[in-house]
Amino acid sequence: MRTPIAYFVMLSGILFAIGSVGVLIRKSALLIFMSVELQLNAVNLALVAFSRMNGDLRGQVLAFFSMVVAAAEVVVGLAIIVSIYRRRATVNVDDARELRW
Amino acid sequence: MPLDNVVFWVFAPVSVASAIGMLVMRNAVHAALFLIVNFFTIAVMYLLLDAPFLFAVQIIVYAGAIMVLFLFVIMLLGIDRGDDVHEPLIGQRPLAVILAVGFVLEIGLALRAGIGFATRAPDGFDVVNQGGNAQALATVLFRDYFFPFEVTSVLLIIAAVAAMVLAQRKSRAITQAEIDEHRADLDALGHTNPGAPKPGAPLEAGGPR
């Protein structure tokens, strides 16, 4: 392993930033959801990189748990998107404004 | 130049480029395909970081299962026509990009102050991964994190039930009156079936003889 750990963490930070831009500027709930997935993956990469740096497997176990929770989150989130689409035939987040005052 | 450096500098630009591609694509299917490329490059990074088990899980769970789920929903809803470009908030997009650039700079500064850009991972991870990465990971998971693992299984069951409840269409049982009506319609059209029971007769187990 000759690549410095900071490069991996830097890559993870760049991907996280791109994902957060996606969450902020996208309109479709599905694309916002995909950007959230990108952010989750970026954080997993940072966890595994630090796990390698510390010579410990706990970071990898935490990344594994975060993958499982992300899978559960995707299932429920997509079901919510499908039920929103059934109700109003669009997944544009600007149209869902019932809870706005 | 060592081999893992070469692999890193080949896949890191691909990773960033595919993430940006996902960001700018109007079509949801194209964005999903770019995201799959990104997940594969992250899997390669796991391999470089001596985590072959997470490499396999990343490809099977993320690039495989989760993205197939995304593509299913995109196709099911038929919303691959493109994203709405109308932005009601003034200055939202430039502000988002500026904040993201600031975030990246901040991460860079924190890394330089914290671990430095020259710190390499120590050798001797083979000792940690003794007997194979999956085996070593299983030892940590089932010895130190057994209770969180069980809680995770409960979470997955709750998520599966929640998905079924949320995505379910409201349906009701077909009544005997509707079956009779349907038969009456068929009779009126002349589609007589000599084997069919008379209208009003209860359905028999095993169907018509």
Side-chain angles (χ1 to χ4, degrees), chain B residues 67-84:
Chain B
M67 288 321 290
V68 166
L69 204 59
F70 263 106
L71 285 172
F72 257 129
V73 171
I74 292 170
M75 302 293 180
L76 191 72
L77 303 189
I79 49 173
D80 50 348
R81 290 186 298 274
D83 207 358
D84 185 12

Side-chain angles (χ1 to χ4, degrees), chain A residues 2 24 26 41 52 85, chain B residues 23 25 50 58 92 120:
Chain A
R2 304 304 301 160
L24 287 175
R26 284 301 195 148
N41 266 273
R52 178 71 184 78
Y85 185 80
Chain B
L23 193 63
M25 279 294 147
D50 293 321
Q58 171 82 7
Q92 160 103 344
R120 300 178 199 289

